[in-house]
Amino acid sequence: MGGAPDDVAPSLFASESLGCGADSKRETDVNHLLTWHEYIASIPMMQFFCLQSVVISCKYCRMNDDAVTIDALKHVASISAGHPIRGSVDALQPGDTGVIQLRDVSADHEIGWSGIKRVLLPKSREIGILGTEDVLFAGRGMRCYALAVGEAPFPAVAAPHFFVIKIQDTNVISPKFLAWQLNQRPAQDYFQRVSAGTAQRSIRRSSLEELEIQIPSLYKQNMICELWATAQAEQRRLRRLEKVRNKQLEAIAFDLLNQNEGTHHE
């Protein structure tokens, strides 16, 4: 397997890179990481998996010494229900405000902004426009999940099926890291316990508020979010590969069928 480019190798393999050395290296490391991601996009998938394990090991050599704070979610964020809407969103008149519904969230927990319904909301109550640092939490259904809103191309609110989590201080915990943590096994096990005995899982706001979350340093949070983003990219590649393979198998099946039909005609 070929080595990384000259401008990438120092940040990949040097012991002082990716948080393994002085803090003054951090800004340089981020730039090297961006170059690294651009590089791995051009190499075969199996090489990507092998080299990624090297990156993970190097990143975590710094993270083991970070102190972690444990606190209830209600102490670091406020939680409210999504915007109340009577009836169907599709029945509302067209307008400028988007309404994020469950159907607008992909399997990777990303918002499909292009497909969001934009409507004219009644002005009978205050409209809680989502901020870039808000986190949405869906607490109903087979699996609970969370996602960070991020930059929105237009003003938007969350449908009533979501809880809106507003972080009090993003210098303490980042929205992406909080969303990641809510999607992981410890939090999912907690949601399973507090919703036990119900026919369909439904998480109360009080239960969400009492969830204990782990708060490491922001540097560690950012490293974890980078790994999460990489894992999501891997899953998308695998799904695309699976789709291509299925089409190939379908083509083979049709080809065999056509051959058999031709034989019978003869």
Side-chain angles (χ1 to χ4, degrees), residues 30 55 84 90 103 128 169 191:
V30 172
V55 179
D90 294 331
R103 69 187 185 190
D169 188 354
F191 297 140

Side-chain angles (χ1 to χ4, degrees), residues 166-181:
K166 291 186 175 293
I167 297 175
Q168 297 173 3
D169 188 354
T170 53
N171 291 319
V172 174
I173 185 169
S174 75
K176 289 184 178 179
F177 176 76
L178 177 58
W180 170 82
Q181 190 168 166

Side-chain angles (χ1 to χ4, degrees), residues 36-78:
W36 166 240
H37 284 300
E38 293 171 356
Y39 169 70
I40 59 177
S42 65
I43 64 177
M45 184 176 293
M46 292 309 297
Q47 289 181 325
F48 170 78
F49 289 147
C50 293
L51 291 175
Q52 188 61 30
S53 65
V54 177
V55 179
I56 292 172
S57 300
C58 190
K59 283 181 177 180
Y60 273 98
C61 64
R62 160 63 189 268
M63 292 161 61
N64 290 334
D65 296 331
D66 287 339
V68 176
T69 301
I70 301 176
D71 209 341
L73 181 57
K74 65 182 180 182
H75 294 151
V76 297
S78 62

Side-chain angles (χ1 to χ4, degrees), residues 6 61 114 123 160 181 196 237 261:
D6 293 339
C61 64
S114 60
K123 297 182 179 180
Q181 190 168 166
R237 290 188 183 96
E261 289 180 349

Side-chain angles (χ1 to χ4, degrees), residues 37-168:
H37 284 300
E38 293 171 356
Y39 169 70
I40 59 177
S42 65
I43 64 177
M45 184 176 293
M46 292 309 297
Q47 289 181 325
F48 170 78
F49 289 147
C50 293
L51 291 175
Q52 188 61 30
S53 65
V54 177
V55 179
I56 292 172
S57 300
C58 190
K59 283 181 177 180
Y60 273 98
C61 64
R62 160 63 189 268
M63 292 161 61
N64 290 334
D65 296 331
D66 287 339
V68 176
T69 301
I70 301 176
D71 209 341
L73 181 57
K74 65 182 180 182
H75 294 151
V76 297
S78 62
I79 303 173
S80 60
H83 189 80
I85 297 175
R86 292 185 178 180
S88 171
V89 174
D90 294 331
L92 296 175
Q93 294 182 359
D96 297 327
T97 305
V99 180
I100 302 175
Q101 304 177 74
L102 296 176
R103 69 187 185 190
D104 300 317
V105 180
S106 70
D108 294 324
H109 301 153
E110 295 182 351
I111 301 173
W113 292 104
S114 60
I116 289 179
K117 182 80 172 180
R118 299 172 68 175
V119 301
L120 180 64
L121 293 175
K123 297 182 179 180
S124 56
R125 61 176 65 228
E126 182 179 355
I127 300 176
I129 299 297
L130 295 172
T132 58
E133 297 176 342
D134 290 346
V135 174
L136 301 185
F137 178 79
R140 300 179 186 178
M142 297 297 295
R143 177 178 170 80
C144 305
Y145 64 86
L147 65 151
V149 174
E151 294 289 342
F154 45 77
V157 299
H161 300 89
F162 290 103
F163 283 120
V164 180
I165 304 175
K166 291 186 175 293
I167 297 175
Q168 297 173 3

Side-chain angles (χ1 to χ4, degrees), residues 180-202:
W180 170 82
Q181 190 168 166
L182 294 177
N183 290 327
Q184 301 312 302
R185 181 66 178 272
Q188 292 295 316
D189 287 346
Y190 169 81
F191 297 140
Q192 181 67 38
R193 291 195 302 271
V194 298
S195 63
T198 59
Q200 183 177 3
R201 181 181 296 187
S202 181

